[in-house]
Amino acid sequence: MAESDCESMNVLHLTLSYSNGGRREAIATLAEGLSGLGVGNHLGCLEEFGCGPDKRAMYAGSFNLDRKGVFDLGALRRLSAYCREQVIDVVHAHDAASATMAALAMPWRGPLLLMTFHRSRSFETARFRDRLRNAVVGLRVGAVVTASEERRRHYIERNYGATSKVSCIPLGIDLARFAPDPELRARTRRVVGAENGTLLVGTVGHFGVDKGVDLAIGAFQDFMRRRPECDARMVVLGHGTPAESDALHALVAPEFVDRIVFAGFQPDPEAWFPGFDVFLHGARREAFGLVLAEAQACGVPVVAARVGGIAEVVVDSQTGCLAPVPTMDALAGALDDLASNEAVRLTYASRAVEHARRQFNRCRYAEDYLQIYQRLEADSGRKCIHADT
């Protein structure tokens, strides 16, 4: 830690990589919020940046350890040296591997350490060796934070250690970036060929099993068979391996080829969301569902299943419709319920914006984390945090 006359806190956000996805969005939004509170933010990646310099420009410093393994002594020394040279006060690990790396590099002295548990249920706690690692590293970690209460309960149930260290802070989003926008709505609908009266259903995610894009495509087609008179189209934003992409395209029945648009990965989802009338999310596993918060902020009601933390992000029968299970039939039924009543759908859209602005404010997100940093500092007896609050 810096000397007692230091003027601000320096936080190192440590993660496996900074490649595109919900985790990068969560880290970037937190760093932006903390910067507004006077906190200095640095970025460290264990294995690769996964992005260009433009995405890292917001940080006071960034580095890639190019780690070759858990016990890469050179990488451990580089991490310790960076923290010492940059006077890092807090290492905020965003995965178990990063928390382990920081604990090994600085086992007794050095910055305060906490971890955010971003992962879905089958990761980082699945095996006994994972839970043993978490217990050992947990002796060095001052706090574990999850994005949902469901994740918090899961972490406590599956791991060994002090339950008092585990707390929940819902993710935040940039509400200036994600908001209803009539011009963007018109642009998106024009690009995909959706008329004013067309029901435009959007889905977003990588093409792996967890995000359930296959379920969303299947549910949309089931819905269309139930409502053949409905003028509806679907937009799929995302990407995957060539095999995953081929498999998804193969799911589209010939009669719906002209109704389902694969738009690929889009780096600006905020430009697409306002054009959707419904956001259909087929996730089989979901730790939080950041994309659901973003969609609601843009005035888009959500259809999804009650898995993971989704029920804490979407208010059933208020800002969307939640199916009991992640199946095509259940999701199609929920989509039918929402799409069949335009007045209800518009009411949900209005409530979704209010809900997002109240629950997922970036300032609240950053302030909650700053309070944890400050509590760890106070518990440690260190007195050098003077970030503006």
Short mmCIF file of all heavy atoms in Angstrom, two decimals, residues 138 142-145 152-168 375:
data_model
loop_
_atom_site.label_atom_id
_atom_site.label_comp_id
_atom_site.label_asym_id
_atom_site.label_seq_id
_atom_site.Cartn_x
_atom_site.Cartn_y
_atom_site.Cartn_z
N GLY A 138 -8.90 -18.44 -0.71
CA GLY A 138 -9.81 -17.65 0.11
C GLY A 138 -9.20 -17.14 1.39
O GLY A 138 -9.69 -16.16 1.96
N GLY A 142 -9.96 -11.12 0.59
CA GLY A 142 -10.72 -10.45 1.64
C GLY A 142 -12.21 -10.47 1.42
O GLY A 142 -12.99 -10.35 2.37
N ALA A 143 -12.64 -10.61 0.16
CA ALA A 143 -14.07 -10.61 -0.14
C ALA A 143 -14.31 -11.31 -1.46
O ALA A 143 -13.47 -11.27 -2.37
CB ALA A 143 -14.61 -9.18 -0.21
N VAL A 144 -15.45 -11.98 -1.55
CA VAL A 144 -15.92 -12.59 -2.79
C VAL A 144 -17.27 -11.95 -3.10
O VAL A 144 -18.14 -11.88 -2.24
CB VAL A 144 -16.09 -14.12 -2.67
CG1 VAL A 144 -16.71 -14.70 -3.94
CG2 VAL A 144 -14.75 -14.77 -2.37
N VAL A 145 -17.42 -11.47 -4.33
CA VAL A 145 -18.64 -10.77 -4.71
C VAL A 145 -19.28 -11.48 -5.90
O VAL A 145 -18.60 -11.86 -6.84
CB VAL A 145 -18.35 -9.30 -5.09
CG1 VAL A 145 -19.65 -8.57 -5.44
CG2 VAL A 145 -17.64 -8.58 -3.95
N ARG A 152 -24.60 -16.04 -5.19
CA ARG A 152 -24.05 -15.96 -3.83
C ARG A 152 -24.37 -17.22 -3.05
O ARG A 152 -23.50 -17.81 -2.40
CB ARG A 152 -24.60 -14.73 -3.10
CG ARG A 152 -23.96 -14.48 -1.73
CD ARG A 152 -24.66 -13.36 -0.98
NE ARG A 152 -26.00 -13.76 -0.57
CZ ARG A 152 -26.28 -14.46 0.53
NH1 ARG A 152 -25.30 -14.85 1.34
NH2 ARG A 152 -27.53 -14.79 0.81
N ARG A 153 -25.63 -17.66 -3.11
CA ARG A 153 -26.03 -18.88 -2.41
C ARG A 153 -25.27 -20.09 -2.95
O ARG A 153 -24.81 -20.95 -2.18
CB ARG A 153 -27.54 -19.10 -2.54
CG ARG A 153 -28.38 -18.07 -1.80
CD ARG A 153 -29.83 -18.48 -1.75
NE ARG A 153 -30.42 -18.56 -3.10
CZ ARG A 153 -31.02 -17.54 -3.71
NH1 ARG A 153 -31.10 -16.36 -3.12
NH2 ARG A 153 -31.56 -17.69 -4.90
N HIS A 154 -25.13 -20.15 -4.27
CA HIS A 154 -24.40 -21.26 -4.88
C HIS A 154 -22.95 -21.29 -4.41
O HIS A 154 -22.42 -22.35 -4.06
CB HIS A 154 -24.45 -21.14 -6.40
CG HIS A 154 -23.50 -22.04 -7.12
ND1 HIS A 154 -23.72 -23.39 -7.28
CD2 HIS A 154 -22.29 -21.80 -7.69
CE1 HIS A 154 -22.71 -23.92 -7.93
NE2 HIS A 154 -21.83 -22.99 -8.19
N TYR A 155 -22.31 -20.12 -4.39
CA TYR A 155 -20.90 -20.08 -3.99
C TYR A 155 -20.74 -20.54 -2.55
O TYR A 155 -19.82 -21.31 -2.23
CB TYR A 155 -20.34 -18.67 -4.17
CG TYR A 155 -18.83 -18.63 -4.08
CD1 TYR A 155 -18.05 -18.78 -5.22
CD2 TYR A 155 -18.18 -18.46 -2.86
CE1 TYR A 155 -16.66 -18.77 -5.15
CE2 TYR A 155 -16.80 -18.46 -2.77
CZ TYR A 155 -16.05 -18.61 -3.92
OH TYR A 155 -14.68 -18.62 -3.84
N ILE A 156 -21.62 -20.09 -1.68
CA ILE A 156 -21.54 -20.49 -0.27
C ILE A 156 -21.79 -21.98 -0.11
O ILE A 156 -21.09 -22.68 0.64
CB ILE A 156 -22.56 -19.68 0.56
CG1 ILE A 156 -22.11 -18.21 0.66
CG2 ILE A 156 -22.71 -20.27 1.96
CD1 ILE A 156 -23.12 -17.30 1.31
N GLU A 157 -22.77 -22.51 -0.84
CA GLU A 157 -23.10 -23.93 -0.73
C GLU A 157 -21.99 -24.83 -1.25
O GLU A 157 -21.76 -25.92 -0.72
CB GLU A 157 -24.39 -24.21 -1.51
CG GLU A 157 -25.64 -23.61 -0.87
CD GLU A 157 -26.83 -23.65 -1.80
OE1 GLU A 157 -26.68 -24.16 -2.94
OE2 GLU A 157 -27.91 -23.19 -1.40
N ARG A 158 -21.28 -24.38 -2.28
CA ARG A 158 -20.32 -25.25 -2.96
C ARG A 158 -18.89 -25.09 -2.48
O ARG A 158 -18.03 -25.90 -2.84
CB ARG A 158 -20.36 -24.97 -4.47
CG ARG A 158 -21.68 -25.31 -5.14
CD ARG A 158 -21.90 -26.81 -5.18
NE ARG A 158 -20.94 -27.47 -6.08
CZ ARG A 158 -20.81 -28.78 -6.21
NH1 ARG A 158 -21.54 -29.58 -5.45
NH2 ARG A 158 -19.93 -29.29 -7.05
N ASN A 159 -18.61 -24.08 -1.69
CA ASN A 159 -17.23 -23.82 -1.30
C ASN A 159 -17.04 -23.90 0.21
O ASN A 159 -18.01 -23.90 0.98
CB ASN A 159 -16.80 -22.45 -1.82
CG ASN A 159 -16.55 -22.44 -3.31
OD1 ASN A 159 -15.53 -22.92 -3.78
ND2 ASN A 159 -17.51 -21.92 -4.06
N TYR A 160 -15.78 -23.95 0.59
CA TYR A 160 -15.40 -23.98 2.00
C TYR A 160 -14.80 -22.62 2.34
O TYR A 160 -14.09 -22.02 1.55
CB TYR A 160 -14.36 -25.07 2.25
CG TYR A 160 -14.64 -26.36 1.52
CD1 TYR A 160 -13.84 -26.77 0.46
CD2 TYR A 160 -15.71 -27.17 1.88
CE1 TYR A 160 -14.10 -27.94 -0.24
CE2 TYR A 160 -15.97 -28.35 1.20
CZ TYR A 160 -15.16 -28.73 0.14
OH TYR A 160 -15.43 -29.90 -0.54
N GLY A 161 -15.10 -22.13 3.51
CA GLY A 161 -14.52 -20.86 3.90
C GLY A 161 -15.53 -19.98 4.60
O GLY A 161 -16.68 -20.38 4.88
N ALA A 162 -15.12 -18.76 4.89
CA ALA A 162 -15.95 -17.83 5.65
C ALA A 162 -17.08 -17.30 4.79
O ALA A 162 -16.85 -16.58 3.82
CB ALA A 162 -15.08 -16.68 6.16
N THR A 163 -18.30 -17.64 5.15
CA THR A 163 -19.45 -17.17 4.38
C THR A 163 -19.63 -15.66 4.51
O THR A 163 -20.24 -15.03 3.64
CB THR A 163 -20.73 -17.89 4.84
OG1 THR A 163 -20.95 -17.61 6.23
CG2 THR A 163 -20.61 -19.38 4.65
N SER A 164 -19.11 -15.10 5.58
CA SER A 164 -19.25 -13.66 5.79
C SER A 164 -18.49 -12.85 4.74
O SER A 164 -18.76 -11.66 4.56
CB SER A 164 -18.75 -13.28 7.18
OG SER A 164 -17.38 -13.62 7.33
N LYS A 165 -17.56 -13.50 4.05
CA LYS A 165 -16.80 -12.80 3.01
C LYS A 165 -17.58 -12.65 1.72
O LYS A 165 -17.19 -11.89 0.83
CB LYS A 165 -15.50 -13.55 2.71
CG LYS A 165 -14.45 -13.49 3.79
CD LYS A 165 -13.17 -14.16 3.30
CE LYS A 165 -12.06 -14.05 4.34
NZ LYS A 165 -10.79 -14.67 3.85
N VAL A 166 -18.67 -13.41 1.55
CA VAL A 166 -19.37 -13.47 0.27
C VAL A 166 -20.58 -12.54 0.29
O VAL A 166 -21.44 -12.63 1.16
CB VAL A 166 -19.84 -14.91 -0.03
CG1 VAL A 166 -20.40 -15.01 -1.45
CG2 VAL A 166 -18.69 -15.90 0.15
N SER A 167 -20.64 -11.64 -0.68
CA SER A 167 -21.75 -10.69 -0.78
C SER A 167 -22.18 -10.55 -2.23
O SER A 167 -21.55 -11.10 -3.14
CB SER A 167 -21.34 -9.32 -0.21
OG SER A 167 -20.25 -8.80 -0.93
N CYS A 168 -23.25 -9.83 -2.45
CA CYS A 168 -23.83 -9.67 -3.79
C CYS A 168 -23.87 -8.20 -4.18
O CYS A 168 -24.36 -7.36 -3.41
CB CYS A 168 -25.23 -10.27 -3.83
SG CYS A 168 -26.15 -9.92 -5.35
N ARG A 375 -13.98 -0.93 3.08
CA ARG A 375 -14.15 -1.79 4.25
C ARG A 375 -12.94 -2.70 4.43
O ARG A 375 -12.46 -2.90 5.56
CB ARG A 375 -15.42 -2.64 4.11
CG ARG A 375 -15.60 -3.66 5.23
CD ARG A 375 -16.95 -4.34 5.15
NE ARG A 375 -17.16 -5.05 3.90
CZ ARG A 375 -16.63 -6.25 3.63
NH1 ARG A 375 -15.83 -6.85 4.50
NH2 ARG A 375 -16.90 -6.85 2.48
#
